[in-house]
Amino acid sequence: MDLLIENLQESEGSFYEKLHQEGYFDNSLFAELILYIDGLNSRELTEIQRLRYCSQIWELAYRIQSSIGYSHNQNDSFEITNMDEEKLIEIGQVLEYICKSFAENRQLDMDFINEMT
C-alpha cells in the first residue's frame, strides 16, 4: 500500500498512527516517510499524479502540524512525550520545506533535512 495513504488512514504501525494515537514521534518512521516522498519526487509524474500526491502530502503535513499544535495547547490533553518543543518546531519547518519542494518539483535537499531532524 502507498505509504502516504497508510499514514492518512492511520493504519496500525504507521508514523501518523503512532503520533496521533500514542503521542510518540517515531524518528525512524518519519525518516521512512521523508525518503518515500523523496522517491516520489524523483519519479516522472504526470501533472495530475503530482497534484494528487501534493494534496496527500499537504494533508498529512497539516495533520502532523495539528498534532504538534495540540501538544502545545495546555487545554488539550494530547502530548507528544518523546520530543522537546524546539525539535517539534524544526519538524514543522521540515514539513513546510518538503511540501513546497514537492509542489514545485524541486529535489529535496536531504542535508538540510538531516540537519533539521
Side-chain angles (χ1 to χ4, degrees):
M1 182 182 262
D2 181 298
L3 196 55
L4 290 173
I5 299 297
E6 285 180 19
N7 279 275
L8 287 169
Q9 293 177 348
E10 291 185 50
S11 298
E12 188 172 338
S14 69
F15 166 77
Y16 187 67
E17 185 264 342
K18 287 184 177 225
L19 179 67
H20 187 70
Q21 297 299 324
E22 301 171 22
Y24 181 77
F25 193 100
D26 189 311
N27 286 307
S28 63
L29 289 176
F30 185 67
E32 181 183 352
L33 187 58
I34 290 172
L35 291 173
Y36 180 80
I37 292 169
D38 186 48
L40 285 176
N41 198 32
S42 62
R43 288 178 27 197
E44 286 293 321
L45 300 172
T46 66
E47 189 174 335
I48 292 172
Q49 289 172 316
R50 183 161 296 277
L51 288 172
R52 278 194 193 120
Y53 283 126
C54 236
S55 176
Q56 292 171 343
I57 292 167
W58 279 104
E59 182 179 352
L60 184 57
Y62 172 79
R63 290 181 185 190
I64 294 168
Q65 286 286 70
S66 293
S67 293
I68 291 171
Y70 298 148
S71 183
H72 287 61
N73 183 347
Q74 295 175 349
N75 297 324
D76 197 311
S77 62
F78 178 80
E79 182 180 3
I80 299 171
T81 57
N82 67 318
M83 191 167 286
D84 64 29
E85 186 174 325
E86 190 174 305
K87 252 332 191 193
L88 289 172
I89 291 168
E90 289 177 0
I91 295 300
Q93 293 169 337
V94 167
L95 289 170
E96 178 184 12
Y97 169 75
I98 290 169
C99 290
K100 285 183 176 181
S101 294
F102 192 91
E104 296 169 1
N105 196 14
R106 291 185 320 201
Q107 284 303 115
L108 299 179
D109 180 349
M110 296 308 276
D111 290 336
F112 168 78
I113 293 171
N114 289 331
E115 287 174 20
M116 296 295 286
T117 57

